[in-house]
C-alpha cells in the first residue's frame, strides 16, 4: 500500500543522494535521476523531461557563467533583503493600482475594468510605447545606471538589486513557460488535432516555440549574473548591453505572441 510506496521512495532517495555519481534532475515536476559522466569538467545534461542542467553544480544550465559564479550568486541572493526580492506586485505607473504578474511576458496592461488600461514594461515601469526600435529606447532598461551617492556599500547593494531583480523575473518567466504555459500550449495543440483537419506536423511549432522561450529565459537570466560579476571596459559593456537587449527584445516579441494570441479562436474556426 501507501506505506510500501513511501518506503521504496525513501530507499530510492537515499540511494541517489548517497551516490556521488548520481543526481536528481532539478526540473519542475521531474523525479528522474541521472548518472553523472566520469569526467572532472562540468557538462550539460539533457533530461527526458526537457530540462537542461549542469553536472558540476547540479543546477539549471547556467551558460554563459561558470559554476563558481552560480555559487557566488546564490550566496549573495541568500544574504539579500528578502523584501526586495519577493515583490510579486507592482503599482501601475499611471493609476498606481497594484498589478500581479501571472505570465512570462514583460508587456503589461493595467486592467481596463478596474484600472486605466495603461501599457508598460514590468521591469523598468516605463511606457511600453518607448520600447521600440524607432524610439531609441529598445530594451534600454537592461542597462544599469549608476547613482550619484558616494556610499560604496549602498551603491553595490543598489547595483546587485538591479541585476538580481531582472534575474528573478526571467527565472519566474522561465518556470511559467516550462509548466503552465507548456500545458496550455499542449491543450491547444490537442484541440486542433482533435478536429482532424490538420496533422501533428502543422502544430509542432507551438511546442517548439515554448522550448525556445524556456531556453532563452534560462540563458538571459544568467547574463544578468554575468553582468554583475564581470569587470568590463566601457566599450565591452556597451557591446554586451546591446546583445543582451537584442535577445531580450526578440524573446519578448515571441513570448508576447505565444501568450497573447487568441489560439482558441483558431480552434473554433477549425471546428
Amino acid at each position: 500500500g501507501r506505506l510500501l510506496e513511501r518506503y521504496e521512495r525513501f530507499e530510492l532517495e537515499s540511494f541517489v543522494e548517497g551516490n556521488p555519481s548520481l543526481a536528481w534532475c532539478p526540473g519542475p515536476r521531474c523525479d528522474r535521476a541521472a548518472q553523472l559522466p566520469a569526467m572532472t569538467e562540468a557538462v550539460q545534461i539533457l533530461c527526458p523531461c526537457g530540462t537542461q542542467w549542469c553536472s558540476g553544480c547540479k543546477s539549471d544550465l547556467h551558460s554563459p557563467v561558470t559554476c563558481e559564479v552560480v555559487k557566488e550568486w546564490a550566496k549573495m541572493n541568500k544574504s539579500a533583503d528578502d523584501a526586495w526580492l519577493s515583490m510579486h506586485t507592482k503599482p501601475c505607473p499611471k493609476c498606481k493600482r497594484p498589478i500581479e504578474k501571472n505570465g512570462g511576458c514583460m508587456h503589461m496592461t493595467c486592467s481596463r475594468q478596474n484600472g486605466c488600461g495603461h501599457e508598460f514594461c514590468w521591469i523598468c515601469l516605463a511606457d511600453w510605447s518607448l520600447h521600440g526600435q524607432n524610439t531609441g529606447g529598445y530594451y534600454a532598461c537592461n542597462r544599469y545606471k549608476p547613482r550619484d551617492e558616494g556610499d560604496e556599500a549602498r551603491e553595490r547593494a543598489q547595483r546587485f538589486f538591479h541585476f538580481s531583480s531582472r534575474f528573478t523575473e526571467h527565472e519566474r518567466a522561465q518556470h511559467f513557460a516550462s509548466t503552465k504555459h507548456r500545458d496550455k500550449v499542449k491543450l491547444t495543440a490537442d484541440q486542433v488535432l482533435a478536429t482532424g483537419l490538420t496533422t501533428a506536423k502543422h502544430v509542432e511549432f507551438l511546442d517548439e516555440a515554448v522550448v525556445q522561450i524556456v531556453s532563452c529565459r534560462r540563458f538571459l537570466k544568467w547574463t544578468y549574473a554575468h553582468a554583475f560579476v564581470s569587470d568590463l571596459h566601457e566599450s565591452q559593456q556597451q557591446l554586451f548591453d546591446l546583445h543582451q537587449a537584442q535577445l531580450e527584445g526578440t524573446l519578448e516579441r515571441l513570448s508576447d505572441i505565444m501568450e497573447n494570441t487568441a489560439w482558441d479562436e483558431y480552434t473554433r474556426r477549425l471546428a
Side-chain angles (χ1 to χ4, degrees):
R2 294 182 61 185
L3 185 61
L4 178 60
E5 290 179 2
R6 290 177 60 186
Y7 175 76
E8 290 176 341
R9 180 66 188 181
F10 174 76
E11 283 286 294
L12 177 61
E13 290 176 352
S14 298
F15 175 73
V16 172
E17 292 165 11
N19 192 327
S21 65
L22 298 175
W24 293 107
C25 170
R29 304 176 179 175
C30 185
D31 58 358
R32 295 179 176 88
Q35 183 163 4
L36 303 178
M39 53 181 67
T40 55
E41 66 271 13
V43 296
Q44 172 184 328
I45 295 178
L46 176 60
C47 180
C49 74
T51 300
Q52 295 174 296
W53 52 285
C54 172
S55 67
C57 57
K58 302 175 183 63
S59 65
D60 199 22
L61 195 64
H62 48 76
S63 177
V65 301
T66 63
C67 293
E68 287 70 27
V69 171
V70 174
K71 293 174 184 176
E72 181 64 23
W73 186 255
K75 190 184 300 182
M76 295 196 66
N77 268 303
K78 188 175 181 180
S79 61
D81 185 355
D82 290 338
W84 279 32
L85 301 179
S86 62
M87 291 189 302
H88 294 286
T89 64
K90 292 183 180 181
C92 168
K94 190 173 182 180
C95 68
K96 307 305 178 184
R97 175 179 173 272
I99 295 175
E100 182 178 5
K101 184 170 180 288
N102 56 9
C105 181
M106 303 303 168
H107 180 188
M108 305 299 295
T109 302
C110 183
S111 172
R112 290 179 174 80
Q113 184 177 359
N114 301 314
C116 63
H118 179 59
E119 296 183 44
F120 63 96
C121 172
W122 175 262
I123 287 182
C124 69
L125 300 181
D127 194 307
W128 187 256
S129 64
L130 300 177
H131 290 65
Q133 292 174 323
N134 297 326
T135 64
Y138 201 55
Y139 281 90
C141 56
N142 71 309
R143 301 173 187 174
Y144 176 70
K145 300 179 179 64
R147 297 176 180 267
D148 296 330
E149 292 91 344
D151 189 337
E152 186 175 337
R154 179 178 174 80
E155 169 62 24
R156 179 172 174 80
Q158 292 280 2
R159 184 172 180 271
F160 173 72
F161 177 70
H162 169 88
F163 293 110
S164 178
S165 61
R166 284 149 178 77
F167 176 97
T168 301
E169 291 302 339
H170 283 296
E171 186 167 58
R172 287 173 180 166
Q174 176 193 343
H175 183 268
F176 170 79
S178 63
T179 52
K180 293 181 180 180
H181 194 194
R182 177 167 280 169
D183 291 344
K184 184 178 179 180
V185 166
K186 185 179 184 305
L187 178 61
T188 298
D190 290 344
Q191 289 174 340
V192 171
L193 290 174
T195 65
L197 300 176
T198 188
T199 64
K201 183 71 175 177
H202 292 96
V203 296
E204 64 182 13
F205 75 93
L206 292 170
D207 184 65
E208 290 175 357
V210 176
V211 169
Q212 286 299 315
I213 290 173
V214 172
S215 178
C216 288
R217 293 286 183 201
R218 179 192 301 114
F219 183 88
L220 192 55
K221 73 179 181 182
W222 285 112
T223 64
Y224 282 102
H226 175 73
F228 178 76
V229 301
S230 298
D231 184 18
L232 302 176
H233 297 300
E234 184 178 357
S235 59
Q236 293 175 321
Q237 187 66 54
Q238 290 175 350
L239 182 61
F240 176 85
D241 290 343
L242 174 63
H243 289 315
Q244 187 185 50
Q246 287 176 333
L247 173 59
E248 195 150 15
T250 302
L251 172 58
E252 290 309 324
R253 287 196 297 273
L254 176 59
S255 184
D256 203 348
I257 291 171
M258 291 301 296
E259 289 186 42
N260 298 320
T261 297
W263 300 109
D264 292 343
E265 291 185 10
Y266 290 95
T267 306
R268 284 195 293 270
R269 289 175 187 174
L270 287 172

